[in-house]
Amino acid sequence: MSQYIWNRWKPTSLKSFISLFLVGISLSGVIAACSPSPDKSGSTSQTKELTLVSYAVTRAAYEKIIPLFAKEWQEKTGQTVKFDQSYGGSGSQTRAVLDGLEADIVALALSADTLQLQDAGLIKPGWEKKTPNGDGIVHRSVGVIVTREGNPKNIKDWDDLARSDVSVITANPKTSGGARWNYMALWGKVTKTGGTEKQAKDFVTKVYKNVAVLPRDAREATDAFFVQKQGDALINYENEVILAKQQGQNLPYVIPEVNISIDNPIAVVDSYVDKRGNREVAEAFVQFLFTPAAQREFAKVGFRPVVPEVVAEFADTYPQISKLFTIEDFGGWNQVSPKFFADGAIFDDIQANIARR
C-alpha cells in the first residue's frame, strides 16, 4: 500500500487496524484462489498496472494513446496492461508524488518539476537521455496572447502588454509552474533580441504593473479572464487554445514572433517502477510516446510534436516561430528557478518595486 493511499485511509485505532489486517488476509486468499493457473506451456496470464501522473491538459491525448499502446503490448507480450491515471496542476502532481503517490511515469509541464523528483531521489539523473530524442521532451508548445473578441486593443506582440491601456491576466509564477513559462517568455523577448537584463527587468516590470491580480494557477487565470471578464489579454499556451477550440470555444489569439519553446518532459520514476516490478512496461510506454502514432495524437489536441515525420505532417497547424528560444538558453531550470523565483529573487524584487510606485 503506497504512502499516499495509506495517509488517506490510515486506521483510527488498533482495533480497526487489526480488522483491516484480517480483511486483507481474507482478500489475499480470494485473489490467490482466483489467480490464473499455468497453461500447458507453463506460463500464466498476466496483467500489468501502470500509474501515469500528468498535468491536466494532456488527458485528451493520453485517452487516445493508452489504448494504442495496450493493444501493441498485448500483441507483443501477451500481457494486459491497465493504467491508473491522475491529472491535475503540474506543481500539485509533483507534490503528490513527493508525498508518496507511487507513479510509474510522470508527464509534467516543465522539467523543473521533474528535477524536484530527481533531487528527492525518486528519479535517477540522466532520465532525459533515455528517450529516443535524447532530451526527455515528449511534446512542446509556445506562448500566446488571448484577446477579447475582435482584439479591440489591437494587441499584436509582447510589447503591447506593457502599454498603459492594456490590462493583463497571468498566473503567479511563485505558485504556478506554468506561469514561469509566461515570465521567461517576457524576459527573453528582451534579452534574446539584443537587450540587457536591466532592460528586460524594466520591461517585465511594466507588464506586471498591468496585472491587477495574480491568480494561483493557470486555471484560475483563465477563469478570471473568461468567467469574471477581467483583463484585456490573457497569457496562455498554444495547446490550451487549440484544445479549447476543439471543445467549442473559439478563442482569438496571437502568437508572438519572438517566443519560448515550452518543453514538456516525460520520465520513468525509478524508485516506484522497481518497487512495483513495472520497469519493462513503463520504459516501453515512454518509448511508444515517441512513435508517429502517439505523436499524432499529441498534435491533434494542440501539442507541437517532436518527431520530424509528424512535425512535417502538422506544419500548417503549427507555424514556425521566427525567433524561438528555450529555457536552456537561460542556463536551464536549475539556474532559472533560484535566480528568478526563489524568495527575494528577481520576481519578488519586481513586485516590491511595483508596490512602491
Side-chain angles (χ1 to χ4, degrees), residues 139-160:
H139 44 67
R140 310 182 192 277
S141 192
V142 294
V144 301
I145 305 170
V146 182
T147 71
R148 294 298 177 191
E149 191 67 39
N151 195 4
K153 292 294 182 76
N154 194 29
I155 296 168
K156 298 179 179 179
D157 205 343
W158 301 122
D159 287 334
D160 293 312

Side-chain angles (χ1 to χ4, degrees), residues 5 11 32 35 54 74 82 129 201 207 218 230 240 271 322 334:
I5 296 174
S35 295
S54 188
Q74 187 168 49
K82 297 181 179 179
K129 297 179 176 60
K201 187 175 181 181
V207 174
Q230 298 181 29
E240 290 222 22
S271 292
S322 61
N334 278 334

Side-chain angles (χ1 to χ4, degrees), residues 110 112-113 116 170-186 208 237 260 327 333 336-338 340-342:
L110 62 166
D113 288 341
Q116 287 188 56
T170 181
N172 188 344
K174 295 283 286 187
T175 56
S176 167
R180 297 186 179 191
W181 289 115
N182 300 348
Y183 180 99
M184 297 310 300
L186 296 169
Y208 277 89
Y237 317 112
I260 191 166
I327 203 66
W333 286 110
V336 167
S337 294
F340 291 95
F341 306 116

Side-chain angles (χ1 to χ4, degrees), residues 27-336:
L27 287 175
S28 296
V30 172
I31 291 169
C34 296
S35 295
S37 57
D39 61 22
K40 293 180 180 179
S41 67
S43 65
T44 58
S45 175
Q46 292 178 311
T47 298
K48 287 289 186 181
E49 293 187 4
L50 288 180
T51 298
L52 169 67
V53 172
S54 188
Y55 62 108
V57 294
T58 64
R59 181 196 294 265
Y62 283 116
E63 285 179 346
K64 300 293 186 181
I65 292 170
I66 285 173
L68 298 176
F69 172 74
K71 180 175 183 293
E72 180 180 282
W73 185 254
Q74 187 168 49
E75 291 173 351
K76 179 181 178 180
T77 68
Q79 291 179 339
T80 298
V81 58
K82 297 181 179 179
F83 283 76
D84 291 326
Q85 301 168 61
S86 175
Y87 299 94
S90 187
S92 298
Q93 296 291 74
T94 303
R95 288 189 292 274
V97 176
L98 288 170
D99 288 342
L101 174 56
E102 295 187 349
D104 295 295
I105 302 146
V106 287
L108 301 171
L110 62 166
S111 295
D113 288 341
T114 311
L115 290 172
Q116 287 188 56
L117 303 182
Q118 177 183 303
D119 292 342
L122 296 176
I123 296 176
K124 295 177 182 177
W127 54 271
E128 308 97 320
K129 297 179 176 60
K130 294 181 180 179
T131 56
N133 58 357
D135 63 10
I137 303 304
V138 69
H139 44 67
R140 310 182 192 277
S141 192
V142 294
V144 301
I145 305 170
V146 182
T147 71
R148 294 298 177 191
E149 191 67 39
N151 195 4
K153 292 294 182 76
N154 194 29
I155 296 168
K156 298 179 179 179
D157 205 343
W158 301 122
D159 287 334
D160 293 312
L161 302 185
R163 288 165 27 198
S164 60
D165 65 325
V166 173
S167 176
V168 180
I169 299 294
T170 181
N172 188 344
K174 295 283 286 187
T175 56
S176 167
R180 297 186 179 191
W181 289 115
N182 300 348
Y183 180 99
M184 297 310 300
L186 296 169
W187 189 271
K189 163 64 177 71
V190 178
T191 61
K192 299 307 173 185
T193 55
T196 65
E197 288 207 338
K198 182 182 182 304
Q199 290 171 324
K201 187 175 181 181
D202 289 343
F203 172 68
V204 173
T205 299
K206 289 178 181 178
V207 174
Y208 277 89
K209 185 180 178 182
N210 292 338
V211 179
V213 294
L214 284 169
R216 182 173 179 80
D217 55 36
R219 184 56 52 206
E220 288 185 11
T222 300
D223 287 345
F225 187 75
F226 289 105
V227 178
Q228 301 169 27
K229 305 299 182 183
Q230 298 181 29
D232 303 304
L234 168 69
I235 306 178
N236 209 326
Y237 317 112
E238 182 184 46
N239 60 281
E240 290 222 22
V241 296
I242 290 175
L243 182 60
K245 183 176 182 179
Q246 293 174 0
Q247 296 173 343
Q249 301 174 348
N250 194 10
L251 313 182
Y253 67 98
V254 296
I255 305 176
E257 280 301 310
V258 178
N259 217 313
I260 191 166
S261 180
I262 298 173
D263 298 340
N264 311 126
I266 189 80
V268 167
V269 185
D270 296 289
S271 292
Y272 292 143
V273 293
D274 289 337
K275 176 181 177 181
R276 293 154 58 92
N278 284 340
R279 179 172 290 278
E280 182 183 9
V281 64
E283 290 183 344
F285 179 68
V286 169
Q287 296 294 311
F288 182 80
L289 297 179
F290 292 84
T291 63
Q295 287 284 302
R296 288 187 188 101
E297 297 303 328
F298 285 128
K300 288 175 185 176
V301 296
F303 294 103
R304 292 186 174 226
V306 297
V307 173
E309 173 186 338
V310 185
V311 171
E313 290 178 21
F314 286 83
D316 291 340
T317 304
Y318 302 107
Q320 287 191 347
I321 308 298
S322 61
K323 179 67 176 179
L324 190 67
F325 50 89
T326 73
I327 203 66
E328 296 304 320
D329 292 327
F330 303 99
W333 286 110
N334 278 334
Q335 293 187 34
V336 167

Side-chain angles (χ1 to χ4, degrees), residues 18-32:
I18 292 171
S19 298
L20 286 175
F21 178 72
L22 293 174
V23 170
I25 292 175
S26 299
L27 287 175
S28 296
V30 172
I31 291 169

